[in-house]
Amino acid sequence: MTVTWEELGWERLAEGVGRVRLPVWDCTVGLVVGAGSALLVDAGSSLAEGARLRAQA
């Protein structure tokens, strides 16, 4: 199954690069996805939010 960035609420910026705005506070999370790894930039303000973002990534 293939899920698009947009289906998870993310904005796709380029191939393998996306961002999402976090609710409540003014913060943008970035995600860069490569062949065998991913880089999550700013994992949110709580453990629960970080876990949700990691699951989406």
Side-chain angles (χ1 to χ4, degrees):
M1 178 171 109
T2 301
V3 178
T4 67
W5 293 85
E6 292 77 16
E7 288 174 313
L8 292 173
W10 291 71
E11 177 185 3
R12 182 179 178 272
L13 302 174
E15 184 65 34
V17 180
R19 71 176 179 178
V20 65
R21 299 286 297 166
L22 297 179
V24 181
W25 64 304
D26 191 24
C27 181
T28 300
V29 174
L31 180 63
V32 181
V33 180
S37 59
L39 171 65
L40 184 63
V41 181
D42 196 333
S45 64
S46 69
L47 290 175
E49 195 164 57
R52 180 183 58 81
L53 291 165
R54 182 179 179 197
Q56 288 178 353

